[in-house]
Amino acid sequence: MASISLTMQIVNGDPASSGKGINLTTQQEPNAVFEEASGEFSLSTVADGDVLVVNGEVYSYEYLGSGNIRNDPDNAAAFIRITSAPPGGQYDVGSTFAIDLTDPDDPNYPNLPNGSTGLTVSDLDPDAETEFPCFAAGTRLETEAGPCEVEALQPGMRLRTRDNGWQEIRWVGRSRVNGRGCLAPVVIEAGALGDHGRLVVSPNHRMLVGGWRAELLFGEPEALVAAKALVDGRAIRSAPCPQVEYVHVLLDSHEVIYAEGAETESFYPGEVGAGVLGPEARAEIEAIFPGLLAGARCYGALARPELRRYEAALIAA
């Protein structure tokens, strides 16, 4: 069984049945857990046994697809619709929800604009999904014992960090997902960001960039940028595939670490940790850092400032 917890935004009415435009309300459902019997999470592929659990109530659902709200790629959302509901349940058949596909580390996430989306159900792309930051299996991180593939890492091993020497791995999480749409891995060819080998990461995984443009434009010598914002179609490109295994690596604090020699980030359990990890992974992290995902304990700041997509484009220009 694979599961993932997501906060959903409630859609007004049942646009799939009515054919009317999709309109968002400001109401949210923070207690949604998607469970997939296959053990491999893929929001866009709904199979027998896949269910949505909300506050202990079990629903069947369909995936309607994703789209850019008001034609704005920085306001992308996925949409699901309930197809069967328990008697007296909180939601009825036809209840429709939006899932924010924008930056989950934004302090306002999830925060899709309410009102008209400018979309109908027929406008949606049925192949896109949610995304989260992690390494693809096969990528090697620098450990005390030498380069090690992320899928072979274990808690207790130590990684080289840019700022704080060798730091112990506290938790390793894995997810095997559909490698298409918004979850398609990003391939960073050797030398694309400096002296490093080829590596593969998820679209939201952040890489460390710097140089005179960062200093001049933002007053920062270095910054973290999501891999998807660096895609140029050549040295850094999206590489859709049928399936990909992603691996999260959590340390005591957010650190700049080394993957195939490239400077990148360890897992940051902010809104991402609270929003997209399944119950088992959340329980494991809570056992290590009690109160962290519930907001009762502070994990600390990002290791470097983060640039948004439009800011990263200025550096790449």
Side-chain angles (χ1 to χ4, degrees):
M1 176 73 70
S3 63
I4 190 167
S5 301
L6 295 170
T7 295
M8 306 187 300
Q9 197 157 328
I10 297 175
V11 171
N12 187 33
D14 181 5
S17 294
S18 68
K20 296 180 179 179
I22 300 173
N23 294 292
L24 298 181
T25 73
T26 57
Q27 296 175 285
Q28 296 181 351
E29 175 48 70
N31 300 312
V33 178
F34 291 85
E35 296 185 349
E36 301 214 357
S38 67
E40 298 173 356
F41 183 79
S42 174
L43 183 60
S44 66
T45 304
V46 184
D48 290 343
D50 293 354
V51 296
L52 169 63
V53 182
V54 180
N55 297 315
E57 298 174 348
V58 179
Y59 299 85
S60 297
Y61 69 96
E62 61 180 329
Y63 180 74
L64 299 177
S66 72
N68 295 329
I69 294 174
R70 301 171 191 167
N71 205 33
D72 180 359
D74 289 327
N75 272 316
F79 297 86
I80 66 106
R81 176 180 180 271
I82 289 177
T83 55
S84 71
Q90 181 179 356
Y91 297 106
D92 299 322
V93 172
S95 295
T96 303
F97 303 89
I99 298 166
D100 193 344
L101 298 183
T102 60
D103 186 358
D105 285 322
D106 188 308
N108 294 319
Y109 179 90
N111 188 31
L112 297 170
N114 66 306
S116 174
T117 63
L119 297 166
T120 64
V121 171
S122 63
D123 295 323
L124 301 178
D125 177 357
D127 296 320
E129 307 188 44
T130 56
E131 54 188 286
F132 45 93
C134 40
F135 298 98
T139 298
R140 298 177 301 170
L141 303 191
E142 188 170 340
T143 75
E144 275 188 308
C148 180
E149 293 182 344
V150 288
E151 61 270 33
L153 294 173
Q154 298 292 329
M157 296 175 69
R158 299 212 298 172
L159 295 180
R160 179 190 171 203
T161 71
R162 168 78 174 273
D163 305 313
N164 296 299
W166 300 100
Q167 292 293 311
E168 181 180 338
I169 297 173
R170 301 300 305 277
W171 175 79
V172 178
R174 297 173 177 82
S175 302
R176 186 177 295 276
V177 299
N178 187 325
R180 300 183 179 90
C182 290
L183 279 176
V186 173
V187 174
I188 301 174
E189 296 293 352
L193 298 174
D195 185 14
H196 62 80
R198 183 179 186 271
L199 68 153
V200 183
V201 297
S202 68
N204 266 355
H205 194 90
R206 290 171 289 217
M207 307 300 297
L208 188 69
V209 300
W212 65 268
R213 288 186 179 90
E215 184 78 47
L216 178 64
L217 293 170
F218 310 108
E220 301 288 350
E222 298 175 324
L224 292 165
V225 180
K228 66 183 180 183
L230 297 171
V231 169
D232 59 12
R234 302 180 301 278
I236 304 177
R237 66 184 189 280
S238 178
C241 58
Q243 197 172 82
V244 60
E245 183 180 18
Y246 286 132
V247 182
H248 316 275
V249 181
L250 180 68
L251 308 179
D252 277 319
S253 60
H254 192 239
E255 299 280 0
V256 174
I257 60 176
Y258 296 85
E260 303 293 351
E263 293 177 320
T264 183
E265 66 168 339
S266 61
F267 182 64
Y268 184 75
E271 286 291 345
V272 174
V276 303
L277 295 178
E280 183 176 346
R282 289 168 59 90
E284 291 173 353
I285 293 176
E286 280 293 315
I288 301 168
F289 300 102
L292 178 62
L293 298 185
R297 172 176 177 173
C298 180
Y299 184 72
L302 292 173
R304 295 293 189 280
E306 180 186 16
L307 299 187
R308 304 303 183 192
R309 184 190 294 267
Y310 71 90
E311 295 172 326
L314 291 175
I315 286 184

